[in-house]
Amino acid sequence: MSEYTTGELAKMFDVSIRTIQFYDKKGILKPSHISENGKRIYTEEDVSRLKLILMLKNLGLPLKAIGEILASDNSMIVLDLLLEQRLRAAKDQVKISRNQIKMIESIKHNLPKINQVSLRTIDDIDKIMSNKKALRKVHMKMVILGLLIDVAEIGGLVWGIKKGQWVPFILIMLLAIIFAIWITKYYFNSVNYICPNCNYEFRPKFRAAFFSNHNPKARKLVCPNCHQKNYCIEVYAGEADVKIAE
């Protein structure tokens, strides 16, 4: 039968000599015998035992649990129970990781749209997420109401063409103009803008906002704080106490 010293066993499994000595100290891997010159000698059975120890350790079991398995007369039952516990813990960790992934993806989805807004505390992230959701609701409300008006206009036009009666279409168009004025005012009362130069949040006058150059996420406005003209980031107004630009 082959025999191995502590160093040879450590080299075989790519672990340190101190690891083998530690397992000996903990009583989970005792040498088969001590040689005349004091060296610890391990046999093939000890090699198999060390393989089992390292496998269980890689599964995340602590040394105390491994010792309980090796010392038990019903080691297979004990192993099954311990692995079941580890399996549940691993599944819980996977669930936590999935939730973290969703949170990360959600934050990343919003950050590029507000990348010029300063971030100072963890509360700012919650504010950012809430703000984007509220702003999205404003946009959706405008789209839905706009589509309803479009349907009414088309219906009035079709009626006029088929029946030759244009009064309903004219009335719908007048209502559409009134609605367009109202929805525009609603929109500009629902949003503020943040200056990318000084991070100042403000609400521009209606005329300045209406006639300014813009893209889906920003408008080119003059900041009332630093007086620079930049593409300012659009955010939901909420209850914020902001400066009304002159």
Side-chain angles (χ1 to χ4, degrees):
M1 180 181 290
S2 300
E3 294 184 340
Y4 309 92
T5 63
T6 302
E8 289 171 340
L9 196 61
K11 186 176 181 181
M12 184 185 302
F13 289 94
D14 196 25
V15 297
S16 67
I17 292 176
R18 285 191 176 185
T19 297
I20 305 298
Q21 293 172 341
F22 181 71
Y23 291 166
D24 182 4
K25 184 178 179 181
K26 290 295 182 180
I28 62 174
L29 185 66
K30 290 289 185 180
S32 293
H33 64 273
I34 308 295
S35 66
E36 293 180 356
N37 57 3
K39 288 185 178 182
R40 290 174 171 79
I41 303 300
Y42 297 89
T43 63
E44 290 291 346
E45 184 177 347
D46 298 321
V47 169
S48 296
R49 188 180 181 88
L50 180 56
K51 283 182 181 179
L52 178 59
I53 292 170
L54 294 176
M55 182 196 74
L56 296 175
K57 190 170 181 295
N58 287 334
L59 291 175
L61 295 178
L63 288 181
K64 182 179 179 181
I66 295 173
E68 291 174 357
I69 294 171
L70 297 177
S72 174
D73 292 333
N74 298 310
S75 57
M76 293 302 294
I77 296 175
V78 176
L79 174 60
D80 183 63
L81 291 173
L82 289 172
L83 288 179
E84 182 62 29
Q85 291 176 2
R86 289 301 305 169
L87 181 60
R88 286 199 296 267
K91 287 181 177 179
D92 289 341
Q93 187 58 49
V94 168
K95 185 177 180 180
I96 292 172
S97 297
R98 285 175 178 168
N99 290 335
Q100 289 176 339
I101 289 172
K102 288 181 180 179
M103 181 180 294
I104 291 169
E105 288 177 340
S106 181
I107 293 174
K108 280 178 64 63
H109 177 71
N110 286 280
L111 284 181
K113 301 171 185 176
I114 48 171
N115 57 0
Q116 291 168 298
V117 179
S118 61
L119 186 69
R120 296 183 179 88
T121 69
I122 190 65
D123 291 337
D124 291 337
I125 293 180
D126 289 333
K127 292 177 183 177
I128 287 168
M129 305 295 287
S130 299
N131 190 283
K132 297 308 296 182
K133 289 178 181 178
L135 188 60
R136 194 175 296 117
K137 287 181 179 179
V138 172
H139 291 160
M140 287 301 297
K141 185 179 293 186
M142 291 183 64
V143 170
I144 292 171
L145 292 175
L147 288 174
L148 291 176
I149 291 297
D150 288 342
V151 170
E153 290 175 349
I154 293 171
L157 180 61
V158 172
W159 178 269
I161 293 173
K162 285 187 175 182
K163 302 294 184 179
Q165 299 176 5
W166 293 97
V167 174
F169 177 69
I170 293 172
L171 291 176
I172 290 173
M173 291 303 297
L174 289 174
L175 289 174
I177 292 171
I178 295 172
F179 169 78
I181 295 172
W182 175 83
I183 196 68
T184 303
K185 287 186 175 181
Y186 162 77
Y187 172 67
F188 284 118
N189 286 333
S190 299
V191 298
N192 292 332
Y193 293 88
I194 296 179
C195 174
N197 181 59
C198 64
N199 286 320
Y200 190 73
E201 184 173 346
F202 66 97
R203 183 176 300 166
K205 289 249 180 133
F206 178 84
R207 181 182 177 85
F210 186 81
F211 289 104
S212 63
N213 293 329
H214 63 279
N215 58 48
K217 304 300 176 185
R219 284 183 181 270
K220 198 167 188 178
L221 300 165
V222 176
C223 173
N225 184 56
C226 67
H227 306 292
Q228 287 196 17
K229 191 171 187 179
N230 291 293
Y231 274 97
C232 298
I233 308 302
E234 184 180 86
V235 295
Y236 179 66
E239 301 297 329
D241 182 18
V242 297
K243 171 75 174 178
I244 305 297
E246 298 297 335

